[in-house]
Amino acid sequence: MHRFANPARFQRLSAAILPWTAGATVILLIVGLYVALIGSPRDYQQGDTVRIMYIHVPAAWMSLFVYVNMAIAAACGLVWKHPLADLFAKAAAPVGAGFTFICLVTGSLWGAPMWGTWWVWDARLTSVLILFFLYLGYMALVNAFDDPQRGTRAGNVLLLVGIVNVPIIKFSVDWWNTLHQPASVIRMGGPTIDGSMLVPLLVMALGFTAYFITVVLLRLRAEIVQRKIQTMRLTEAQG
Amino acid sequence: MAEFFAMGGYAAYVWSSYALAALVMVGLLVATLKALRGAETTLKALEGSRPPRRRRARNGAAASPAAEVGEG
């Protein structure tokens, strides 16, 4: 891992990877949108609202995936002082918050016609809302200190504490009574969802993942350049 | 075509979901690219403003720490 800790090497590596992830994002999302909107059947109970699922569920997966990645980076940053790990968490946070926001709002837009309500304060919806606030809290905390080092330290601790929320979100539909349906893809005994709906779901999820990698690499590049500017200004001020 | 856009009577819910996702994702991408461009321009300007001093400082540091101290 420390081979990739060198920012200069990262800039070269990310420049080589970026065209591929950007291309994969475009292709996967075009194919994903086609199968989601045209190539898949409407649900026999929910009609065309089932198409909201192809945004809602991948966004929900991403909200957890991004958070877990940030928490791992936070641990690496705290334990090994890995210079890119802190920057990764900082770069990924707005993307994770964006996915969580998409998940919450599309869930509302799906709940309104199907459940008859925009929102209920049950375990699943509330725990995802807490995840959204964890993202926002992290972003606010990191920028709240004059010393960026102290900011990322505090943010990393918050990320590690907040990780308890992840299994709560995942198992909330099994542990508590809820309007939300239980897992139908990532579950023991394999998916219960039909293949014609599983395919658009997975393609969209891959597209979202490629998008996440692309945007995080771009944000990391910007963060590294920003750090360079900071050190240059600092030496200038001292010199 | 009209039937496709009607989404079985749920057009408002389905299309606003897709529009919101597109808005958030494109917005994040545009903001990221803007920040990256801005930072790169600032860095270029900083590097361009005093390149001789910077190069001398780095060479001095590589050669001997004393040279850097003497310069500052």
Side-chain angles (χ1 to χ4, degrees):
Chain A
M1 271 317 275
H2 278 268
R3 283 191 51 223
F4 303 108
N6 180 340
R9 186 175 282 130
F10 171 82
Q11 294 295 63
R12 279 200 303 277
L13 198 69
S14 64
I17 297 172
L18 264 168
W20 295 95
T21 58
T25 308
V26 172
I27 292 169
L28 283 166
L29 286 182
I30 288 174
V31 174
L33 282 175
Y34 175 81
V35 283
L37 290 169
I38 301 161
S40 62
R42 56 178 59 149
D43 189 72
Y44 80 103
Q45 278 181 329
Q46 306 200 5
D48 278 310
T49 58
V50 76
R51 300 190 197 285
I52 297 172
M53 175 175 73
Y54 306 128
I55 298 285
H56 175 75
V57 172
W61 286 343
M62 290 310 293
S63 71
L64 291 175
F65 174 75
V66 173
Y67 191 88
V68 171
N69 274 302
M70 283 168 63
I72 293 170
C76 293
L78 283 174
V79 176
W80 292 296
K81 307 267 180 212
H82 193 299
L84 282 181
D86 294 336
L87 291 184
F88 170 82
K90 207 179 159 204
V95 190
F99 278 126
T100 316
F101 182 70
I102 293 173
C103 170
L104 284 167
V105 177
T106 55
S108 246
L109 285 165
W110 196 4
M114 286 302 114
W115 295 346
T117 177
W118 298 90
W119 184 264
V120 280
W121 289 102
D122 74 359
R124 172 56 76 85
L125 280 70
T126 309
S127 55
V128 175
L129 188 67
I130 289 171
L131 180 70
F132 183 58
F133 289 145
L134 276 171
Y135 277 119
L136 296 188
Y138 170 80
M139 291 194 285
L141 193 58
V142 165
N143 294 318
F145 292 85
D146 286 330
D147 177 9
Q149 292 254 305
R150 285 182 64 199
T152 41
R153 258 187 82 85
N156 286 347
V157 172
L158 175 72
L159 285 176
L160 288 177
V161 172
I163 196 88
V164 291
N165 193 34
V166 170
I168 294 179
I169 291 176
K170 169 70 187 151
F171 296 110
S172 55
V173 282
D174 304 323
W175 292 344
W176 292 286
N177 262 323
T178 168
L179 277 179
H180 199 285
Q181 64 157 330
S184 56
V185 180
I186 304 170
R187 61 185 286 281
M188 303 284 280
T192 51
I193 186 172
D194 188 71
S196 61
M197 290 177 177
L198 186 59
V199 169
L201 207 53
L202 294 181
V203 178
M204 287 300 280
L206 285 175
F208 278 18
T209 311
Y211 167 87
F212 167 67
I213 295 170
T214 308
V215 175
V216 158
L217 286 178
L218 287 170
R219 296 189 75 86
L220 269 172
R221 290 179 73 88
E223 287 285 342
I224 289 170
V225 175
Q226 208 66 53
R227 284 285 153 104
K228 237 187 228 169
I229 293 170
Q230 269 173 13
T231 35
M232 281 185 79
R233 288 214 168 116
L234 215 63
T235 48
E236 222 162 78
Q238 286 168 344
Chain B
M1 210 55 186
E3 195 197 356
F4 170 68
F5 285 112
M7 278 290 155
Y10 295 114
Y13 301 104
V14 175
W15 291 120
S16 35
S17 291
Y18 280 78
L20 173 94
L23 204 73
V24 170
M25 289 168 78
V26 172
L28 259 172
L29 181 66
V30 169
T32 301
L33 287 173
K34 256 192 186 161
L36 181 60
R37 295 265 156 75
E40 275 172 344
T41 326
T42 314
L43 182 67
K44 273 223 183 87
L46 271 176
E47 279 175 345
S49 65
R50 9 175 102 173
R53 186 192 168 275
R54 216 176 97 83
R55 204 167 300 136
R56 219 188 305 143
R58 195 193 279 155
N59 289 346
S64 79
E68 195 189 16
V69 173
E71 194 183 83

